[in-house]
Amino acid sequence: MKSSLYHRLQPFARIVAVTACLWTAISVLGALQTYSDNLRAGVDSHYPALLATWFVEYAVPLIVLSIVLSSALTRWPTLIARPRNVVALFAVLVLLFQPAQWTWMAWQRGLLQIASVQDAWQLLLKMLLVGWFSTTGTFAAILAFFYFRQARERELAWQRSQTDMLNLRLALEEQRMLALRAQLEPHFLFNALNAISALVRGGDRPLALHGINLLSDLLRYVLSASAGTTTTVAAELRFVQDYLDLQRLRYGDRLRMHVDGADALLQEVPCPPLLLQPLVENALRHELDCTEGASDIRLAFIREKDVLLVRVTNPVGQDAPPNPGAGLGLANTQDRLRLMHSEASLSAGRQGERFVAEIRLPLASAD
């Protein structure tokens, strides 16, 4: 209960303290200016008395105005949401506060001895120009402060909404990446198990056991790579070579792949996990599974300015479809590249008598 009351009174106490300090400082400067003017004019005066007059006559009414108006706008910020509301507030200032301020100042100066209507009229004419500048200036300054604070709060709210939106988008993209990877890893596992099952059906149990050991090593890499969002092209190349060792247990000497351009640069180029395996597995499936001869799969790494090209090609027959094998593996690879970097891409299609899958990886982050 006490804590809640404290939090409610804290903004009001801050307004009172700031307003009192501000107008006290203005009174000190105003009294000093009056004292200086009196000295130059040869008028005897006392600075403490001038300070008291300045504070009581000018500062006290404006402190009250500042506190009341600031408290009202803090509690009801919609009071200045529309121009007509501001006009209404200014009308209250003119019709209520200004006469009250004149009466206060006239009482402090001993001018309220009114014997006739003429005396009242003369007093009104005398006070008509008193306090207008300071009162309207205070009113305008308070409104400007609250307009600025509202604009600042809207800007901060907009920034928070943008940050929340970006965080949400990032979370969605990460979930999408995980979903794509969850689709891809069973796909890889299914093809690896197919290679081992072919050995089991062939009755070669020692070779099948060796294949299981190779698969265990591959799965160990998949699990470690899946813990992060990126790996390196060099690590992916080693994984593909191990994957091909497993597939050779099934295809034998028919499985042949030539690698060109593998150098130290590949250690520095980031890429999504399981980037190369779908491309190589796609080449295997649409060459060795469709022909009886040896494969002619080529994997090349080519640097072009600030881009690394990763190109996987394999022969296609004359009766093959225009885009053979562009299925789940390649589609997922393309989506994961786009999520990793906006300039990374995958293109795949038939070029003459070969099917070409080409990845473009920016090198800016690797230099």
Side-chain angles (χ1 to χ4, degrees), residues 185 188 217-227 239 273-274:
E185 289 167 8
F188 149 76
D217 293 337
L218 293 175
L219 291 178
R220 190 173 296 111
Y221 171 82
V222 170
L223 291 175
S224 63
S226 297
F239 172 74
L274 296 181

Side-chain angles (χ1 to χ4, degrees), residues 8-24:
R8 287 199 301 268
L9 292 179
Q10 190 176 18
F12 178 77
R14 188 184 299 114
I15 292 172
V16 172
V18 171
T19 303
C21 291
L22 176 63
W23 283 110
T24 299

Side-chain angles (χ1 to χ4, degrees), residues 248-274:
R248 283 192 182 91
L249 300 181
R250 176 183 179 185
Y251 294 109
D253 292 338
R254 293 175 58 215
L255 197 166
R256 299 175 185 175
M257 186 179 78
H258 177 74
V259 180
D260 185 35
D263 55 24
L265 173 65
L266 305 187
Q267 298 283 354
E268 305 173 3
V269 183
C271 68
L274 296 181

Side-chain angles (χ1 to χ4, degrees), residues 45-337:
S45 59
H46 299 280
Y47 179 76
L50 293 175
L51 176 59
T53 300
W54 259 87
F55 185 82
V56 173
E57 289 188 6
Y58 291 99
V60 168
L62 295 178
I63 289 175
V64 173
L65 172 64
S66 301
I67 291 174
V68 171
L69 186 57
S70 298
S71 300
L73 294 181
T74 299
R75 186 168 183 179
W76 301 292
T78 55
L79 288 176
I80 55 174
R82 297 180 179 179
R84 64 184 182 185
N85 295 348
V86 177
V87 172
L89 283 175
F90 188 73
V92 171
L93 178 78
V94 173
L95 299 177
L96 296 181
F97 177 79
Q98 194 70 68
Q101 183 186 25
W102 292 339
T103 303
W104 169 262
M105 296 177 70
W107 178 63
Q108 291 296 320
R109 298 177 184 182
L111 301 176
L112 288 183
Q113 293 78 14
I114 301 174
S116 63
V117 176
Q118 184 66 24
D119 291 341
W121 177 252
Q122 292 297 326
L123 178 61
L124 177 62
L125 293 178
K126 183 182 299 185
M127 301 299 297
L128 198 57
L129 298 179
V130 175
W132 269 109
F133 177 78
S134 58
T135 301
T136 55
T138 301
F139 179 79
I142 293 174
L143 260 61
F145 170 76
F146 276 90
Y147 275 127
F148 170 79
R149 191 169 76 171
Q150 289 180 0
R152 180 62 177 165
E153 289 174 351
R154 285 194 296 268
E155 181 182 358
L156 291 176
W158 180 83
Q159 291 177 353
R160 285 193 297 269
S161 68
Q162 290 296 107
T163 302
D164 292 342
M165 187 179 300
L166 289 175
N167 289 335
L168 178 59
R169 184 175 178 180
L170 178 60
L172 290 175
E173 295 290 2
E174 288 177 349
Q175 290 301 316
R176 186 178 177 187
M177 177 73 81
L178 291 175
L180 290 172
R181 191 182 301 166
Q183 290 178 342
L184 186 59
E185 289 167 8
H187 187 258
F188 149 76
L189 182 60
F190 175 78
N191 288 295
L193 288 174
N194 267 349
I196 296 175
S197 65
L199 298 174
V200 173
R201 287 193 301 270
D204 195 339
R205 294 184 179 180
L207 201 57
L209 183 60
H210 177 56
I212 292 174
N213 291 332
L214 289 176
L215 177 60
S216 176
D217 293 337
L218 293 175
L219 291 178
R220 190 173 296 111
Y221 171 82
V222 170
L223 291 175
S224 63
S226 297
T229 58
T230 61
T231 182
T232 65
V233 176
E236 284 296 296
L237 177 59
R238 289 192 295 270
F239 172 74
V240 163
Q241 291 170 335
D242 292 340
Y243 174 74
L244 291 177
D245 288 341
L246 173 61
Q247 293 295 344
R248 283 192 182 91
L249 300 181
R250 176 183 179 185
Y251 294 109
D253 292 338
R254 293 175 58 215
L255 197 166
R256 299 175 185 175
M257 186 179 78
H258 177 74
V259 180
D260 185 35
D263 55 24
L265 173 65
L266 305 187
Q267 298 283 354
E268 305 173 3
V269 183
C271 68
L274 296 181
L275 175 67
L276 302 181
Q277 184 271 336
L279 276 64
V280 173
E281 188 270 329
N282 180 74
L284 287 176
R285 189 172 71 251
H286 294 92
E287 185 178 359
L288 289 178
D289 289 350
C290 300
T291 64
E292 295 297 331
S295 65
D296 181 22
I297 302 172
R298 301 173 189 174
L299 172 60
F301 301 95
I302 306 166
R303 178 167 185 169
E304 289 186 357
K305 296 182 179 180
D306 57 350
V307 173
L308 176 67
L309 300 181
V310 182
R311 186 176 296 153
V312 180
T313 71
N314 63 278
V316 291
Q318 294 296 329
D319 56 346
N323 199 24
L328 176 65
L330 297 186
N332 278 355
T333 301
Q334 188 170 16
D335 286 342
R336 292 190 301 127
L337 281 169

